[in-house]
Amino acid sequence: MINKQEITDRFISYITIDTESDPNSETTPSTEKQWDLARKLHQELTDMGMSDVSIDENAYVMATLPSNVDHDVPVIGFISHFDSTPDFTGKNIKPQIIHDYDGGDIPLKGSDLILTPDYFESLTQYKGQTIITTDGTTLLAADDKAGITEIMTAMKIMIDNPSIKHGTIKVGFTPDEEIGRGAHKFDVEKFGADWAYTMDGSQIGELEYENFNAAGAVVTFHGKIVHPGYAKGKMINSMYIAQEFIESLPRMETPEHTEDYQGFFHLHNMKGAVEKTELQYIIRDHDRGHFEARKEVMMKLVTDLNAQYDREAVTIEIKDQYFNMREKVEPVMHIVDVAEKAMRELGIEPLIKPIRGGTDGSQLSYMGLPCPNIFAGGHNFHGPYEYVPVESMMKATEVIVKIAELIAMDANG
Ligand SMILES: [Zn+2]
Protein backbone atom coordinates (compact mmCIF):
# COMPACT_ATOMS: atom_id res chain seq x y z
CA MET A 1 0.00 0.00 0.00
CA ILE A 2 2.86 2.41 0.82
CA ASN A 3 5.46 2.94 -1.86
CA LYS A 4 8.90 2.90 -0.22
CA GLN A 5 10.59 5.04 -2.85
CA GLU A 6 7.78 7.59 -2.73
CA ILE A 7 7.90 8.02 1.03
CA THR A 8 11.70 8.29 0.92
CA ASP A 9 11.54 10.93 -1.81
CA ARG A 10 8.89 12.88 0.04
CA PHE A 11 10.94 12.86 3.24
CA ILE A 12 14.06 14.03 1.42
CA SER A 13 12.15 16.80 -0.34
CA TYR A 14 11.23 18.17 3.13
CA ILE A 15 14.55 17.79 4.94
CA THR A 16 16.47 19.55 2.18
CA ILE A 17 14.53 22.74 2.99
CA ASP A 18 16.24 24.47 5.91
CA THR A 19 13.67 25.48 8.56
CA GLU A 20 15.77 26.12 11.66
CA SER A 21 13.84 28.14 14.28
CA ASP A 22 15.34 30.94 16.38
CA PRO A 23 14.56 31.45 20.09
CA ASN A 24 15.84 35.04 19.95
CA SER A 25 13.28 36.10 17.38
CA GLU A 26 9.96 37.59 18.47
CA THR A 27 8.09 36.88 15.23
CA THR A 28 5.96 33.86 14.25
CA PRO A 29 7.36 31.95 12.52
CA SER A 30 10.62 32.83 14.23
CA THR A 31 12.52 32.55 10.95
CA GLU A 32 11.45 33.64 7.49
CA LYS A 33 12.72 30.43 5.89
CA GLN A 34 10.08 28.31 7.65
CA TRP A 35 7.63 29.83 5.15
CA ASP A 36 9.37 27.89 2.36
CA LEU A 37 8.23 24.55 3.69
CA ALA A 38 4.89 25.87 4.97
CA ARG A 39 4.00 27.09 1.48
CA LYS A 40 5.16 23.86 -0.12
CA LEU A 41 2.96 21.83 2.25
CA HIS A 42 0.02 24.12 1.56
CA GLN A 43 0.49 23.56 -2.17
CA GLU A 44 0.88 19.78 -1.85
CA LEU A 45 -2.22 19.45 0.31
CA THR A 46 -4.16 21.40 -2.29
CA ASP A 47 -2.78 19.33 -5.19
CA MET A 48 -3.56 16.12 -3.34
CA GLY A 49 -7.24 17.05 -3.14
CA MET A 50 -7.58 17.92 0.56
CA SER A 51 -10.38 20.34 1.53
CA ASP A 52 -10.26 23.67 3.43
CA VAL A 53 -6.50 23.96 2.90
CA SER A 54 -5.31 27.09 4.69
CA ILE A 55 -2.17 28.87 5.77
CA ASP A 56 -2.52 31.70 8.28
CA GLU A 57 -0.40 34.81 8.93
CA ASN A 58 1.77 32.83 11.38
CA ALA A 59 2.45 30.01 8.86
CA TYR A 60 0.20 27.42 10.53
CA VAL A 61 -0.99 25.06 7.81
CA MET A 62 -4.31 23.22 8.17
CA ALA A 63 -6.41 20.98 5.94
CA THR A 64 -9.38 18.63 6.08
CA LEU A 65 -9.96 15.16 4.69
CA PRO A 66 -13.76 14.87 4.56
CA SER A 67 -15.50 11.83 5.97
CA ASN A 68 -16.46 9.09 3.49
CA VAL A 69 -19.02 7.36 5.71
CA ASP A 70 -22.68 8.18 6.44
CA HIS A 71 -22.66 7.79 10.22
CA ASP A 72 -21.29 10.34 12.72
CA VAL A 73 -17.63 9.85 13.58
CA PRO A 74 -15.54 11.95 16.01
CA VAL A 75 -13.29 14.40 14.19
CA ILE A 76 -9.62 13.63 14.82
CA GLY A 77 -6.43 15.46 13.89
CA PHE A 78 -2.77 14.72 13.20
CA ILE A 79 -0.14 17.36 13.92
CA SER A 80 3.58 17.80 13.20
CA HIS A 81 6.03 20.70 13.29
CA PHE A 82 8.06 21.82 10.32
CA ASP A 83 10.81 23.74 12.10
CA SER A 84 14.09 22.09 13.06
CA THR A 85 16.02 22.76 16.27
CA PRO A 86 18.58 25.58 16.52
CA ASP A 87 20.77 23.17 18.57
CA PHE A 88 22.57 22.03 15.41
CA THR A 89 22.60 23.22 11.82
CA GLY A 90 19.98 21.95 9.37
CA LYS A 91 21.36 23.79 6.38
CA ASN A 92 22.42 21.82 3.31
CA ILE A 93 21.39 18.41 4.62
CA LYS A 94 23.00 15.71 2.46
CA PRO A 95 21.28 12.49 3.48
CA GLN A 96 22.88 9.07 3.15
CA ILE A 97 20.52 6.22 2.30
CA ILE A 98 21.71 2.84 3.57
CA HIS A 99 19.80 0.01 1.90
CA ASP A 100 19.57 -3.39 3.59
CA TYR A 101 21.50 -2.18 6.66
CA ASP A 102 23.99 -4.87 7.71
CA GLY A 103 23.96 -4.07 11.43
CA GLY A 104 27.47 -2.60 11.45
CA ASP A 105 29.10 0.84 11.59
CA ILE A 106 27.80 3.57 9.31
CA PRO A 107 30.46 6.17 8.44
CA LEU A 108 28.94 9.64 8.10
CA LYS A 109 30.95 10.50 5.05
CA GLY A 110 31.04 14.30 5.19
CA SER A 111 32.83 14.09 8.55
CA ASP A 112 34.90 11.65 10.61
CA LEU A 113 31.88 10.64 12.67
CA ILE A 114 30.67 7.05 12.73
CA LEU A 115 27.14 6.00 13.58
CA THR A 116 27.90 2.76 15.41
CA PRO A 117 25.61 0.23 17.13
CA ASP A 118 28.31 -0.13 19.83
CA TYR A 119 27.22 3.25 21.13
CA PHE A 120 23.75 3.65 19.59
CA GLU A 121 22.31 0.21 20.48
CA SER A 122 18.93 1.09 18.99
CA LEU A 123 20.45 0.62 15.52
CA THR A 124 20.62 -3.15 15.88
CA GLN A 125 16.83 -3.54 15.74
CA TYR A 126 16.83 -2.12 12.19
CA LYS A 127 19.11 -4.68 10.57
CA GLY A 128 17.97 -5.38 7.02
CA GLN A 129 16.03 -2.10 6.79
CA THR A 130 16.64 1.12 4.85
CA ILE A 131 18.19 3.74 7.08
CA ILE A 132 18.51 7.43 6.29
CA THR A 133 21.37 9.21 8.06
CA THR A 134 23.13 12.56 7.81
CA ASP A 135 26.61 12.98 6.32
CA GLY A 136 27.80 14.10 9.76
CA THR A 137 27.77 17.84 9.06
CA THR A 138 24.12 18.59 9.89
CA LEU A 139 21.18 17.13 11.74
CA LEU A 140 18.60 15.15 9.74
CA ALA A 141 15.42 16.97 10.80
CA ALA A 142 13.53 13.69 10.96
CA ASP A 143 12.32 15.60 14.03
CA ASP A 144 9.78 16.32 12.79
CA LYS A 145 9.78 16.04 9.02
CA ALA A 146 9.31 12.30 9.44
CA GLY A 147 5.99 13.17 11.12
CA ILE A 148 5.00 15.46 8.26
CA THR A 149 5.97 12.82 5.70
CA GLU A 150 3.83 10.22 7.48
CA ILE A 151 0.77 12.46 7.76
CA MET A 152 1.02 13.55 4.11
CA THR A 153 1.49 9.97 2.93
CA ALA A 154 -1.44 8.74 5.03
CA MET A 155 -3.74 11.43 3.60
CA LYS A 156 -2.70 10.52 0.06
CA ILE A 157 -3.39 6.83 0.72
CA MET A 158 -6.85 7.55 2.08
CA ILE A 159 -7.66 9.84 -0.86
CA ASP A 160 -6.41 7.26 -3.38
CA ASN A 161 -8.21 4.34 -1.70
CA PRO A 162 -11.85 5.21 -1.00
CA SER A 163 -12.39 1.66 0.26
CA ILE A 164 -10.65 2.81 3.46
CA LYS A 165 -13.53 4.12 5.57
CA HIS A 166 -12.86 7.08 7.85
CA GLY A 167 -14.49 10.10 9.48
CA THR A 168 -13.37 13.69 9.07
CA ILE A 169 -9.60 13.97 9.52
CA LYS A 170 -7.81 17.25 10.24
CA VAL A 171 -4.17 17.92 9.51
CA GLY A 172 -2.07 20.64 11.18
CA PHE A 173 1.55 21.67 10.58
CA THR A 174 3.13 24.15 12.97
CA PRO A 175 6.23 26.36 13.13
CA ASP A 176 8.55 26.87 16.13
CA GLU A 177 7.90 23.74 18.18
CA GLU A 178 11.61 23.44 18.93
CA ILE A 179 11.66 26.81 20.68
CA GLY A 180 8.56 25.95 22.71
CA ARG A 181 6.12 28.05 20.69
CA GLY A 182 4.52 25.54 18.36
CA ALA A 183 1.19 25.52 20.15
CA HIS A 184 1.06 29.20 21.12
CA LYS A 185 -0.79 30.45 18.08
CA PHE A 186 -2.49 27.19 17.12
CA ASP A 187 -6.14 27.98 16.45
CA VAL A 188 -7.80 25.04 18.22
CA GLU A 189 -11.30 26.24 17.36
CA LYS A 190 -10.55 26.59 13.66
CA PHE A 191 -8.85 23.18 13.65
CA GLY A 192 -12.13 21.77 14.90
CA ALA A 193 -11.04 18.30 16.02
CA ASP A 194 -12.36 16.42 19.06
CA TRP A 195 -8.82 15.26 19.76
CA ALA A 196 -5.53 14.91 17.92
CA TYR A 197 -2.16 13.17 17.88
CA THR A 198 1.24 14.74 17.41
CA MET A 199 3.41 12.53 15.22
CA ASP A 200 6.58 13.61 16.99
CA GLY A 201 7.87 10.69 19.05
CA SER A 202 11.05 8.75 18.47
CA GLN A 203 11.36 5.01 17.97
CA ILE A 204 8.74 2.72 16.53
CA GLY A 205 5.98 1.91 19.03
CA GLU A 206 6.27 5.02 21.19
CA LEU A 207 2.95 6.29 22.50
CA GLU A 208 2.99 9.03 25.09
CA TYR A 209 0.32 10.84 27.06
CA GLU A 210 2.23 11.91 30.16
CA ASN A 211 4.79 14.67 30.37
CA PHE A 212 6.34 16.83 33.06
CA ASN A 213 4.69 19.64 34.94
CA ALA A 214 7.20 22.42 34.46
CA ALA A 215 8.14 25.71 36.08
CA GLY A 216 11.11 28.06 36.01
CA ALA A 217 12.44 29.85 39.12
CA VAL A 218 14.76 32.81 39.43
CA VAL A 219 16.20 33.23 42.92
CA THR A 220 18.00 36.49 43.70
CA PHE A 221 20.29 36.99 46.70
CA HIS A 222 20.97 40.50 47.88
CA GLY A 223 24.26 41.23 49.67
CA LYS A 224 26.08 44.30 50.93
CA ILE A 225 29.45 45.32 49.57
CA VAL A 226 31.92 46.95 51.96
CA HIS A 227 35.71 47.40 51.73
CA PRO A 228 37.04 43.96 52.73
CA GLY A 229 39.48 45.51 55.19
CA TYR A 230 36.70 47.14 57.18
CA ALA A 231 33.94 44.63 56.55
CA LYS A 232 33.56 42.92 59.90
CA GLY A 233 29.93 42.81 60.91
CA LYS A 234 28.96 44.83 57.83
CA MET A 235 29.58 42.92 54.63
CA ILE A 236 26.95 40.47 53.46
CA ASN A 237 28.21 38.20 50.69
CA SER A 238 25.26 37.18 48.54
CA MET A 239 27.22 34.26 47.08
CA TYR A 240 27.38 32.53 50.48
CA ILE A 241 23.64 32.90 50.95
CA ALA A 242 23.14 31.40 47.49
CA GLN A 243 25.41 28.54 48.48
CA GLU A 244 23.22 27.82 51.51
CA PHE A 245 20.19 27.79 49.25
CA ILE A 246 21.80 25.39 46.77
CA GLU A 247 22.89 23.04 49.53
CA SER A 248 19.44 23.02 51.12
CA LEU A 249 17.89 21.40 48.06
CA PRO A 250 18.29 17.61 47.74
CA ARG A 251 21.44 16.96 45.72
CA MET A 252 20.10 13.67 44.31
CA GLU A 253 16.92 15.23 42.95
CA THR A 254 18.70 16.60 39.91
CA PRO A 255 18.54 15.58 36.24
CA GLU A 256 21.75 13.57 36.42
CA HIS A 257 20.39 11.39 39.25
CA THR A 258 16.78 10.84 38.17
CA GLU A 259 14.79 8.88 35.57
CA ASP A 260 11.27 7.64 34.71
CA TYR A 261 8.77 9.32 37.03
CA GLN A 262 11.35 10.98 39.31
CA GLY A 263 11.15 14.76 39.40
CA PHE A 264 13.96 17.23 39.97
CA PHE A 265 15.27 20.71 40.68
CA HIS A 266 17.74 21.72 37.99
CA LEU A 267 20.13 24.61 38.62
CA HIS A 268 21.03 25.60 35.07
CA ASN A 269 22.56 29.01 35.51
CA MET A 270 24.26 31.03 38.24
CA LYS A 271 25.94 34.37 38.22
CA GLY A 272 27.13 36.15 41.27
CA ALA A 273 29.15 38.86 42.97
CA VAL A 274 29.20 40.02 46.60
CA GLU A 275 26.40 42.50 46.03
CA LYS A 276 24.03 40.24 44.11
CA THR A 277 23.77 36.60 43.04
CA GLU A 278 21.16 35.08 40.78
CA LEU A 279 20.30 31.38 40.42
CA GLN A 280 18.10 30.03 37.65
CA TYR A 281 16.28 26.76 38.20
CA ILE A 282 13.82 24.64 36.33
CA ILE A 283 11.44 22.45 38.34
CA ARG A 284 10.04 19.26 36.83
CA ASP A 285 7.68 16.56 38.12
CA HIS A 286 5.05 14.33 36.51
CA ASP A 287 2.97 14.36 39.68
CA ARG A 288 1.07 17.61 40.10
CA GLY A 289 1.10 17.36 43.90
CA HIS A 290 4.84 16.77 44.04
CA PHE A 291 5.33 19.56 41.53
CA GLU A 292 3.45 22.04 43.74
CA ALA A 293 5.38 20.76 46.78
CA ARG A 294 8.69 21.42 45.01
CA LYS A 295 7.70 25.01 44.43
CA GLU A 296 6.65 25.34 48.09
CA VAL A 297 9.99 23.92 49.26
CA MET A 298 11.79 26.66 47.36
CA MET A 299 9.52 29.39 48.70
CA LYS A 300 9.86 28.11 52.26
CA LEU A 301 13.64 28.15 51.93
CA VAL A 302 13.46 31.78 50.89
CA THR A 303 11.28 32.63 53.91
CA ASP A 304 13.64 30.78 56.25
CA LEU A 305 16.76 32.49 54.88
CA ASN A 306 15.13 35.89 55.19
CA ALA A 307 14.22 35.13 58.79
CA GLN A 308 17.75 33.94 59.49
CA TYR A 309 19.32 37.12 58.04
CA ASP A 310 16.55 39.28 59.47
CA ARG A 311 16.19 41.20 56.20
CA GLU A 312 14.97 40.60 52.67
CA ALA A 313 18.14 38.83 51.63
CA VAL A 314 16.44 36.57 49.08
CA THR A 315 13.64 37.02 46.57
CA ILE A 316 12.14 34.40 44.29
CA GLU A 317 10.05 34.44 41.15
CA ILE A 318 8.46 31.19 39.98
CA LYS A 319 6.64 30.86 36.67
CA ASP A 320 4.70 27.81 35.50
CA GLN A 321 5.71 26.72 32.00
CA TYR A 322 3.49 23.77 31.08
CA PHE A 323 1.55 20.95 32.72
CA ASN A 324 1.24 17.19 32.43
CA MET A 325 -1.27 16.37 29.70
CA ARG A 326 -2.27 13.21 31.59
CA GLU A 327 -4.79 15.29 33.55
CA LYS A 328 -6.55 16.15 30.26
CA VAL A 329 -6.10 12.80 28.52
CA GLU A 330 -7.16 10.43 31.32
CA PRO A 331 -10.83 11.49 31.18
CA VAL A 332 -10.77 10.53 27.46
CA MET A 333 -8.47 7.55 27.74
CA HIS A 334 -10.09 5.86 24.73
CA ILE A 335 -8.01 8.16 22.51
CA VAL A 336 -4.86 6.43 23.78
CA ASP A 337 -6.48 3.00 23.72
CA VAL A 338 -7.40 3.29 20.05
CA ALA A 339 -3.82 4.24 19.13
CA GLU A 340 -2.56 1.28 21.11
CA LYS A 341 -5.03 -1.02 19.40
CA ALA A 342 -4.01 0.31 15.98
CA MET A 343 -0.37 -0.49 16.72
CA ARG A 344 -1.13 -3.99 17.96
CA GLU A 345 -3.23 -4.75 14.89
CA LEU A 346 -0.24 -3.74 12.78
CA GLY A 347 2.12 -5.96 14.76
CA ILE A 348 3.82 -3.04 16.53
CA GLU A 349 4.57 -3.41 20.24
CA PRO A 350 3.36 -0.18 21.91
CA LEU A 351 5.99 1.51 24.11
CA ILE A 352 4.02 3.62 26.55
CA LYS A 353 6.21 5.74 28.79
CA PRO A 354 6.22 9.18 30.43
CA ILE A 355 7.96 11.96 28.50
CA ARG A 356 10.70 13.68 30.50
CA GLY A 357 9.93 16.99 28.88
CA GLY A 358 6.98 18.64 27.18
CA THR A 359 5.42 18.45 23.75
CA ASP A 360 3.19 20.74 21.75
CA GLY A 361 0.53 18.23 22.68
CA SER A 362 0.76 19.10 26.37
CA GLN A 363 -0.04 22.74 25.64
CA LEU A 364 -2.73 21.82 23.11
CA SER A 365 -4.32 19.47 25.65
CA TYR A 366 -4.73 22.44 28.02
CA MET A 367 -6.08 24.55 25.15
CA GLY A 368 -8.94 22.08 24.76
CA LEU A 369 -7.45 19.64 22.25
CA PRO A 370 -6.35 16.43 24.02
CA CYS A 371 -3.25 15.39 22.14
CA PRO A 372 -1.12 12.30 22.86
CA ASN A 373 2.14 11.76 21.00
CA ILE A 374 2.91 8.92 18.59
CA PHE A 375 6.29 7.76 17.24
CA ALA A 376 7.58 9.32 14.05
CA GLY A 377 10.45 6.82 13.84
CA GLY A 378 13.64 8.89 14.16
CA HIS A 379 16.49 8.50 16.66
CA ASN A 380 19.22 10.73 18.16
CA PHE A 381 17.37 13.98 17.54
CA HIS A 382 19.06 17.39 17.49
CA GLY A 383 22.49 16.33 16.26
CA PRO A 384 24.56 14.75 13.48
CA TYR A 385 23.83 11.16 14.60
CA GLU A 386 20.13 11.57 13.87
CA TYR A 387 18.70 8.82 11.66
CA VAL A 388 15.39 7.31 10.63
CA PRO A 389 14.53 3.87 9.22
CA VAL A 390 12.19 4.21 6.22
CA GLU A 391 10.27 1.16 7.46
CA SER A 392 9.43 3.02 10.70
CA MET A 393 8.01 5.92 8.69
CA MET A 394 5.93 3.43 6.71
CA LYS A 395 4.65 1.87 9.94
CA ALA A 396 3.77 5.28 11.42
CA THR A 397 1.84 6.04 8.22
CA GLU A 398 -0.07 2.78 8.63
CA VAL A 399 -0.82 3.69 12.26
CA ILE A 400 -2.44 6.96 11.14
CA VAL A 401 -4.63 5.16 8.60
CA LYS A 402 -5.51 2.41 11.07
CA ILE A 403 -6.52 4.86 13.80
CA ALA A 404 -8.82 6.61 11.29
CA GLU A 405 -10.36 3.27 10.30
CA LEU A 406 -10.83 2.03 13.87
CA ILE A 407 -12.53 5.24 14.98
CA ALA A 408 -14.94 5.14 12.02
CA MET A 409 -15.66 1.48 12.78
CA ASP A 410 -16.20 2.09 16.53
CA ALA A 411 -18.58 4.96 15.81
CA ASN A 412 -20.66 2.58 13.69
CA GLY A 413 -21.28 0.54 16.83
ZN1 LIG B 1 9.86 17.30 17.38
Side-chain angles (χ1 to χ4, degrees), residues 246-254 265 294 297:
I246 294 170
E247 288 177 349
S248 301
L249 289 174
R251 179 64 186 91
M252 300 305 277
E253 292 180 23
T254 49
F265 301 97
R294 285 184 189 282
V297 162

Side-chain angles (χ1 to χ4, degrees), residues 81 143-144 177-178 200 381-382:
H81 63 90
D143 176 12
D144 189 22
E177 189 270 353
E178 296 290 359
D200 196 17
F381 292 161
H382 298 195

